[in-house]
């Protein structure tokens, strides 16, 4: 069994000594009284990651020499309708929190052709039987691990049945709010210890800012943002962005200050975050990330008190360290890395230096 170091992921080491802890590895110990909780203001920031599956995660824990302190998984209403008890078992064994993206749609069908999952129908009670059964199962696991549910996340984007659009008959923020409040009321009646997490995207592609979807503090247990440094992937023309570019930590109008204003005294954090892998050639003369910007990062990389070397700006490893530092300093309760392959290889293990960060100790 791998020891449980008292650092945030043992992973991003000296910058985060005193952050969250991650217990045992594949053969994890039983849950302890100090099991991870985002609602405990006395504990340090929790750090975890979303893996492809539990088997992959256990192998990563062994490779990294630490344990995942916030497991993350996804379920929908059709292809994966049941509460994920296997993930709850794994969280309980590790003394970890469990974060579940609970998505009202069918993964296997086009997102723009599922009107049966419109928020107005969920708000009207059409899915109460399913919601009640799922929440009843969730309630049975809240003594085993903290259950955090990201219901209908990234609502400010434009690609899901619960998103808003501009076409006639499209969902509205008011309908999303009505849906959310209905689900929250059911949650309070059936599974009050479940944490319902309101979770927009940092800069959604939808027509409304994320504040338009906020159901009110009385209907939210915790809040989170999602956001990514897409780098020079085929998915975007944004180019390489620092953690501050992605989340606007230092700007009054940035996503983090805006989310914190809504959060008040409630816990908040990052539910999906990652950087694209770096390619050194991108930042050399002739590369897409060079030019005036790339030259400046190499010659004058200081951005006190955070980025102090070029590697802190333009490597996946440095980006992840800086994100954790900024999150901790901003008062985040948790950070969960999207540690998997999807649009690109978001894993820190894609390079030797990234794996070295995740496997490092204090």
């Amino acid at each position: 069994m791998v020891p449980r170091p008292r650092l945030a992921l043992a992973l991003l080491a000296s910058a985060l000594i005193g952050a969250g802890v991650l217990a045992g590895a594949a053969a994890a110990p039983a849950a302890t009284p100090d099991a991870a909780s985002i609602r405990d203001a006395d504990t340090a920031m929790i750090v975890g990651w979303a893996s492809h599956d539990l088997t992959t995660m256990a192998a990563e824990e062994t490779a990294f020499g630490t344990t995942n302190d916030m497991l993350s998984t996804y379920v929908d209403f059709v292809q994966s309708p049941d509460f994920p008890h296997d993930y709850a078992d794994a969280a309980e064994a590790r003394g970890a929190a469990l974060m579940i993206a609970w998505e009202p749609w069918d993964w296997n069908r086009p997102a723009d052709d599922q009107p049966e999952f419109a928020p107005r129908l969920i708000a009207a009670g059409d899915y109460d039987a399913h919601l009640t059964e799922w929440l009843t199962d969730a309630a049975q696991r809240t003594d085993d691990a903290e259950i955090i549910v990201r219901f209908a996340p990234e609502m400010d984007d434009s690609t899901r049945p619960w998103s808003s659009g501009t076409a006639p008959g499209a969902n509205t923020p008011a309908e999303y709010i009505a849906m959310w409040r209905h689900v929250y009321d059911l949650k309070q009646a059936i599974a009050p210890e479940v944490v319902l997490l309101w979770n927009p995207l940092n800069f959604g592609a939808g027509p409304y800012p994320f504040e338009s979807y906020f159901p009110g503090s009385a209907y939210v247990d915790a809040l989170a943002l999602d956001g990514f440094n897409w780098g020079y992937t085929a998915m975007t023309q944004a180019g390489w962005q620092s953690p501050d570019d992605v989340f606007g930590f230092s700007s009054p109008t940035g996503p983090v200050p805006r989310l914190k204003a809504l959060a008040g005294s409630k816990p908040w954090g990052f539910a999906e975050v990652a950087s694209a892998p770096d390619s050194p050639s991108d930042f050399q003369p002739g590369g897409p990330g060079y030019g005036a910007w790339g030259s400046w990062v190499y010659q004058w990389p200081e951005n006190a008190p955070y980025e102090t070397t070029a590697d802190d700006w333009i490597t996946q490893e440095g980006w992840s360290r800086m994100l954790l530092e900024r999150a901790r300093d901003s008062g985040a309760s948790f950070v969960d890395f999207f540690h998997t392959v999807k649009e690109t290889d978001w894993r820190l293990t894609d390079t030797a230096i990234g794996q070295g960060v995740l496997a490092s100790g204090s």
Side-chain angles (χ1 to χ4, degrees):
M1 181 178 70
V2 178
R4 183 182 191 179
R6 302 300 294 183
L7 322 167
L9 255 188
L11 131 190
L12 302 142
S14 59
L16 290 174
I17 292 174
V21 259
L22 299 156
T32 60
D34 64 341
S37 171
I38 67 173
R39 291 180 292 191
D40 187 348
D42 296 329
T43 59
M45 188 174 74
I46 298 170
V47 183
W49 69 88
S51 276
H52 182 268
D53 52 40
L54 287 172
T55 300
T56 301
M57 186 191 72
E60 289 165 350
E61 288 175 319
T62 300
F64 302 158
T66 190
T67 298
N68 195 340
D69 212 22
M70 179 177 276
L71 280 62
S72 180
T73 190
Y74 300 77
V75 299
D76 73 343
F77 276 26
V78 177
Q79 303 300 323
S80 183
D82 299 329
F83 181 86
H85 285 286
D86 53 346
Y87 273 83
D89 291 341
E92 179 186 12
R94 290 159 170 78
L98 171 59
M99 185 162 60
I100 306 165
W102 193 18
E103 300 179 342
W105 66 330
D106 181 346
W107 289 336
N108 281 0
R109 293 172 50 208
D112 60 355
D113 187 27
Q114 300 192 38
E116 67 272 29
F117 295 109
R120 66 182 73 91
L121 300 178
I122 297 173
D126 288 16
Y127 290 88
D128 279 5
H130 174 70
L131 295 169
T132 297
E133 181 178 4
W134 198 94
L135 287 167
T136 299
D137 281 353
Q140 297 171 359
R141 303 309 305 260
T142 54
D143 287 339
D144 304 327
E146 183 161 270
I147 307 299
I148 304 164
V149 177
R150 306 166 55 205
F151 180 72
E154 300 185 2
M155 74 298 291
D156 54 328
D157 211 15
S158 60
T159 59
R160 299 170 178 86
W162 57 89
S163 302
S164 295
T166 58
N171 302 325
T172 67
E175 290 171 333
Y176 182 91
I177 289 172
M179 173 186 70
W180 180 278
R181 289 181 174 180
H182 179 72
V183 173
Y184 189 88
D185 285 342
L186 286 174
K187 190 274 298 186
Q188 287 296 90
I190 299 167
E193 293 305 309
V194 165
V195 178
L196 201 62
L197 182 74
W198 186 79
N199 180 193
L201 191 62
N202 59 341
F203 296 107
Y208 305 102
F210 61 65
E211 289 90 343
S212 300
Y213 301 89
F214 189 61
S217 184
Y219 293 91
V220 169
D221 298 321
L223 299 84
L225 281 171
D226 294 353
F228 298 85
N229 168 32
W230 290 86
Y232 294 97
T233 67
M235 296 291 294
T236 180
Q237 301 299 315
W240 196 266
Q241 296 181 300
S242 73
D244 198 29
D245 293 329
V246 175
F247 290 111
F249 290 96
S250 59
S251 168
T253 60
V256 163
R258 290 163 52 203
L259 189 86
K260 290 177 66 176
L262 296 175
S265 61
K266 294 182 183 291
W268 68 275
F270 299 88
E272 286 186 12
V273 62
S275 170
D278 57 89
S279 172
S281 62
D282 288 344
F283 304 98
Q284 300 299 326
Y290 190 68
W293 183 88
S295 302
W296 174 74
V297 169
Y298 274 109
Q299 295 176 45
W300 301 287
E302 293 83 1
N303 186 35
Y306 299 101
E307 294 88 358
T308 59
T309 71
D311 283 350
D312 291 336
W313 284 87
I314 60 175
T315 66
Q316 187 186 49
E317 173 264 338
W319 192 97
S320 301
R321 283 189 293 104
M322 294 303 105
L323 180 280
L324 283 175
E325 285 199 29
R326 285 184 177 273
R328 179 200 59 196
D329 291 350
S330 297
S333 297
F334 60 96
V335 173
D336 203 272
F337 282 96
F338 191 66
H339 187 76
T340 190
V341 179
K342 192 182 176 188
E343 299 89 352
T344 187
D345 190 346
W346 299 109
R347 300 171 301 169
L348 271 168
T349 45
D350 75 300
T351 63
I353 191 168
Q355 186 170 353
V357 170
L358 285 170
S360 64
S362 59

